[in-house]
Amino acid sequence: MPGSSVSIVNVDKYFGDFHVLKNINLEIRANEFFSILGPSGCGKTTLLRIIAGLEDVDDGDVLLDDKSIINLPPNKRPVNTIFQNYALFPHLNVYENIAFPLRLKKLSEGEIREKVQWLLSLTRLEEHAKKKPAQLSGGQKQRVSLARALANEPKVLLLDEPVSALDAKLRQELLIELDNLHDKVGITFIYVTHDQAEAISVSDHVAVMNNGEVVQYGTPYEIYESPADAFVATFIGESNLMKGTVKRLISESYVLVEFPTLGEIVCYRDKPVDVNDDVLVTLRPEKIRITHSRPQVPEDSFTNILHGVVDETIYMGYQTKYFVRTDGGYILRVYKQHASYLLDEKIIQWKDEVFLYWNPDDSFIVEVDKG
């Protein structure tokens, strides 16, 4: 099943006076797993429905393999949609639910049997073929929905928060199955979700949306490690966001920023800034190292070092979350991963005095207010 590329070109959409989508432009490559990520109400589902032909655009175009489909009705588009409510026929068993679109095409019984058996095997539903939807778990129902959508041999599969109705463990399992299924069938998947963990774990590329706009596009690594603004930095994962003022330009790569209760910190100069500019700096909690003793670092490394006291600890098994009050009174979140269990390691506890240190490349500017 070869997939198609999808191009969203200058798409605008209004619901009355409400501007839902604002000049959306996206290039989705053929056969990739692409995610549209954003909070509720940002326009991501509306964009998916436009690709499916379930909503019209007020301006712009949608192309499949460089050909406009904007005037094609939904049933003429080589696209299928998976909804979070499964949309299965309750009176039909699993086999007949999957066979339904094939019967509409008037395929022979032999062709239908061969294709349904292949799809049952692909989605691991062989033993459930004779069951009705009411006899299935949520994950099994979603796999039936997937198999039925794939029966039409779509060029693009649209998935509208397909695992949101499932519990956390089942969501993760089905997400892995989706990724494996994508690898097997090879068509283009466009996945809509509000869950950043889902999007970055399976996608080739991600578009982050907010207030009807695409605020960042890139690989999961680029989105997480180099958020375009404060919204992306806080929506994707967790981050310490700090407001300060540029005091000195150290080099082409680094600046010295002063923070009211944190002191002076060396930050990566990834945006054009000048002395006295007010800036917003992001620093991921897991990038910060925490120790009982002052770290020994090369003098020319610009490593940031702060002293503080542990204000609160949250042990989570695979990591511990520390909330450290620095000498200036600023509370930084620090996440320490537990890669191994060391019996002779002195555990950092509540009220301990600690040192925090990190590479200046990990504290970088996401917003600038010119002084």
Side-chain angles (χ1 to χ4, degrees):
M1 294 184 189
S4 291
S5 64
V6 179
S7 301
I8 313 297
V9 184
N10 302 325
V11 164
D12 275 275
K13 176 67 178 178
Y14 289 84
F15 288 146
D17 293 331
F18 181 50
H19 202 174
V20 184
L21 297 175
K22 306 169 185 175
N23 194 35
I24 302 294
N25 287 276
L26 283 175
E27 289 292 336
I28 302 169
R29 301 171 188 171
N31 308 321
E32 78 171 332
F33 199 127
F34 187 92
S35 286
I36 302 172
L37 173 66
S40 297
C42 72
K44 57 187 185 295
T45 294
T46 300
L47 181 57
L48 200 76
R49 289 174 61 83
I50 285 172
I51 298 171
L54 303 174
E55 294 283 356
D56 296 325
V57 301
D58 291 301
D59 197 13
D61 204 352
V62 178
L63 312 177
L64 254 66
D65 294 329
D66 300 323
K67 295 179 180 178
S68 177
I69 59 168
I70 205 70
N71 294 318
L72 288 179
N75 63 321
K76 297 294 183 181
R77 300 186 183 195
V79 170
N80 262 74
T81 306
I82 302 292
F83 300 101
Q84 56 182 301
N85 62 356
Y86 318 126
L88 300 177
F89 298 114
H91 63 289
L92 299 180
N93 64 25
V94 169
Y95 182 100
E96 289 301 330
N97 261 284
I98 298 171
F100 183 79
L102 302 176
R103 297 198 189 285
L104 289 180
K105 291 182 176 180
K106 302 190 184 305
L107 268 60
S108 69
E109 281 302 317
E111 290 173 309
I112 291 172
R113 190 182 313 109
E114 182 180 351
K115 188 144 194 180
V116 172
Q117 291 297 343
W118 176 72
L119 289 165
L120 286 168
S121 174
L122 187 68
T123 52
R124 297 188 300 109
L125 288 166
E126 301 102 309
E127 63 186 84
H128 306 290
K130 295 183 179 180
K131 292 181 181 178
K132 298 285 181 65
Q135 299 172 287
L136 303 175
S137 68
Q140 289 164 348
K141 289 176 185 176
Q142 197 57 278
R143 295 209 304 271
V144 177
S145 184
L146 278 164
R148 188 177 62 185
L150 292 172
N152 273 327
E153 298 186 359
K155 300 288 186 180
V156 179
L157 188 63
L158 308 176
L159 302 111
D160 186 11
E161 307 221 29
V163 300
S164 63
L166 308 175
D167 62 59
K169 184 178 180 182
L170 198 54
R171 275 203 308 271
Q172 191 59 40
E173 290 175 358
L174 191 57
L175 202 61
I176 293 169
E177 287 189 23
L178 272 176
D179 196 25
N180 290 334
L181 190 63
H182 172 259
D183 293 339
K184 290 175 182 176
V185 299
I187 63 174
T188 308
F189 277 26
I190 303 179
Y191 186 92
V192 159
T193 182
H194 66 275
D195 189 312
Q196 54 91 12
E198 290 178 13
I200 66 175
S201 63
V202 296
S203 307
D204 298 306
H205 288 91
V206 179
V208 184
M209 291 187 65
N210 189 33
N211 294 325
E213 298 179 293
V214 175
V215 292
Q216 189 168 1
Y217 164 88
T219 65
Y221 181 85
E222 290 166 343
I223 298 287
Y224 185 85
E225 297 291 345
S226 301
D229 59 18
F231 169 78
V232 180
T234 53
F235 190 73
I236 309 293
E238 296 185 52
S239 187
N240 294 291
L241 280 179
M242 307 170 289
K243 293 182 178 180
T245 303
V246 176
K247 286 300 173 186
R248 182 159 58 91
L249 308 180
I250 297 174
S251 67
E252 290 186 1
S253 299
Y254 301 107
V255 297
L256 186 69
V257 180
E258 184 176 49
F259 301 90
T261 57
L262 198 60
E264 294 182 342
I265 300 296
V266 180
C267 300
Y268 184 65
R269 190 181 180 183
D270 61 326
K271 284 182 169 56
V273 294
D274 296 304
V275 173
N276 295 326
D277 284 352
D278 291 328
V279 295
L280 192 63
V281 172
T282 181
L283 173 62
R284 297 287 188 189
E286 72 274 11
K287 304 293 186 182
I288 306 172
R289 302 291 182 89
I290 182 169
T291 60
H292 279 109
S293 56
R294 186 179 182 88
Q296 302 298 312
V297 298
E299 291 185 7
D300 60 352
S301 68
F302 296 134
T303 300
N304 292 300
I305 303 175
L306 294 174
H307 177 265
V309 174
V310 176
D311 209 53
E312 186 179 349
T313 66
I314 301 175
Y315 179 73
M316 302 184 69
Y318 66 96
Q319 70 175 4
T320 298
K321 296 184 176 184
Y322 296 100
F323 295 80
V324 178
R325 187 180 299 275
T326 65
D327 290 346
Y330 192 94
I331 294 180
L332 277 173
R333 285 175 292 169
V334 182
Y335 297 170
K336 180 179 173 64
Q337 305 298 315
H338 302 310
S340 59
Y341 179 58
L342 302 177
L343 291 173
D344 58 347
E345 181 181 8
K346 185 181 178 183
I347 303 299
I348 295 172
Q349 298 178 335
W350 179 58
K351 295 299 182 183
D352 279 359
E353 288 193 40
V354 292
F355 287 90
L356 308 178
Y357 66 103
W358 68 91
N359 190 306
D361 289 353
D362 292 323
S363 48
F364 58 92
I365 297 164
V366 289
E367 291 184 9
V368 180
D369 184 6
K370 304 301 287 185

